[in-house]
Amino acid sequence: MKDILTAPFLTEMIRTTANMYRLGWDERNGGNISLLLDNAELSEYLDLNHVLREIPTGFQAPSLAGRCFLVTGTGKYFKNVQYDPEKNLGIIRLNEDGTVAQLLWGYSDGGKFTSELPAHLMSHVARLAVNPNNRVVMHCHPGNLLAMTYVHDLDERAFTRTLWQMCTECIVVFPDGVGVLPWMLCGTNEIGMATAEKMQDSRLVVWAQHGIYGAGADLDETFGLIETAEKGAEIYMKIAHLPWKQTITDEQFHQLEAHFGVKAREGFLD
Ligand code: 2HA
Ligand code: ZN
């Protein structure tokens, strides 16, 4: 067996959580990440027949039967992941209907996966249906995106268009735009289902007055998606109260679509 602390999926997760903390997106125990693992790769590091304990998930996800995920722990701080990965992270495998998570590694203080596991796993199901290469669901609390949900209309088209207008790269990085949910109680199956429904159309879903969800093929891509949306929100919060002399026009968005070979979400451009 290879040493799991040298596994690329683990070292990338550690670097990602440290970076997200550094950017102020994950105060205290804020935020959570789930990474879908390749069972063959994982078996180089762990005996997949050795289940440490079983933890109920509280919902069903039959399409993820037998799939393994690296997931941040509930109540754990992103700040601390790098210093004790085995306590702050866990690797789980879902049973045949997704109602039980078999712990294969981690949560070494008796802990368990994030309280937002429903939103994560339901979002994985939704994104895998659109893109079989999707591996990551990431949630965090970036300050400018959060601030924007207090002062901007929560209409998805309007919210997306404002972010696109704030820097040229935005429409290129997330042409599918952002889904927006009104304030809802977090940690529930209901917000999980609502998030997953939005994930059918866009890889970013804003939770008003709470944070954002991102999904992507790897940790870097998903991090970059949130990073770009947060940059857009940062510019907006710098200028929202000032008179605007110009912005990026729809004609210019169409030029960007043509030049970068991307297609803006249907109906979001004039
Ligand atoms: O506690 O961010 O949404 C982690 C969270 C809950
Ligand atoms: Zn949160």
Side-chain angles (χ1 to χ4, degrees), residues 27 29-32 116 139-141 186 207 210-213:
E27 73 291 342
N29 63 321
N32 25 75
E116 302 293 1
H139 166 65
C140 56
H141 305 158
C186 54
W207 285 6
H210 183 139
I212 191 164
Y213 267 75

Side-chain angles (χ1 to χ4, degrees), residues 240-259:
H241 57 293
L242 300 172
W244 297 11
K245 305 263 195 208
Q246 53 275 319
T247 186
I248 306 172
T249 64
D250 282 65
E251 148 63 21
Q252 290 165 337
F253 284 140
H254 288 300
Q255 285 183 38
L256 288 163
E257 280 185 300
H259 187 73

Side-chain angles (χ1 to χ4, degrees), residues 31-215:
N32 25 75
I33 305 178
S34 56
L35 169 64
L36 176 56
L37 300 171
D38 177 65
N39 288 18
E41 184 186 1
L42 186 58
S43 67
E44 295 173 22
Y45 300 93
L46 284 181
D47 173 4
L48 301 191
N49 294 317
H50 185 61
V51 176
L52 299 173
R53 50 195 164 95
E54 297 201 322
I55 313 171
T57 63
F59 61 91
Q60 303 203 332
S63 68
L64 297 176
R67 307 302 299 267
C68 295
F69 292 86
L70 174 61
V71 188
T72 52
T74 183
K76 298 296 191 277
Y77 296 16
F78 274 28
K79 174 172 80 74
N80 296 336
V81 171
Q82 61 184 315
Y83 305 112
D84 195 345
E86 193 166 0
K87 183 166 93 181
N88 295 294
L89 303 172
I91 295 177
I92 56 170
R93 179 175 54 208
L94 295 168
N95 73 341
E96 63 279 356
D97 58 3
T99 55
V100 171
Q102 302 169 324
L103 182 65
L104 301 175
W105 177 86
Y107 309 142
S108 62
D109 63 348
K112 62 183 245 182
F113 42 75
T114 168
S115 59
E116 302 293 1
L117 195 71
H120 279 256
L121 294 192
M122 292 177 200
S123 294
H124 276 285
V125 172
R127 286 314 304 171
L128 284 167
V130 181
N131 174 14
N133 293 323
N134 195 87
R135 294 290 175 271
V136 177
V137 173
M138 184 181 283
H139 166 65
C140 56
H141 305 158
N144 293 290
L145 277 163
L146 246 131
M148 195 170 154
T149 67
Y150 288 81
V151 299
H152 196 283
D153 196 324
L154 294 181
D155 172 75
E156 283 172 358
R157 183 180 188 272
F159 201 94
T160 296
R161 286 176 57 85
T162 297
L163 288 176
W164 285 348
Q165 286 165 348
M166 293 305 107
C167 35
T168 298
E169 287 281 292
C170 280
I171 194 172
V172 180
V173 175
F174 52 98
D176 45 343
V178 296
V180 183
L181 288 180
W183 187 92
M184 291 176 72
L185 188 62
C186 54
T188 62
N189 288 352
E190 286 69 31
I191 200 168
M193 286 186 282
T195 306
E197 197 186 319
K198 299 283 182 200
M199 283 273 179
Q200 292 171 3
D201 301 312
S202 56
R203 294 163 296 152
L204 287 169
V205 178
V206 169
W207 285 6
Q209 293 85 51
H210 183 139
I212 191 164
Y213 267 75

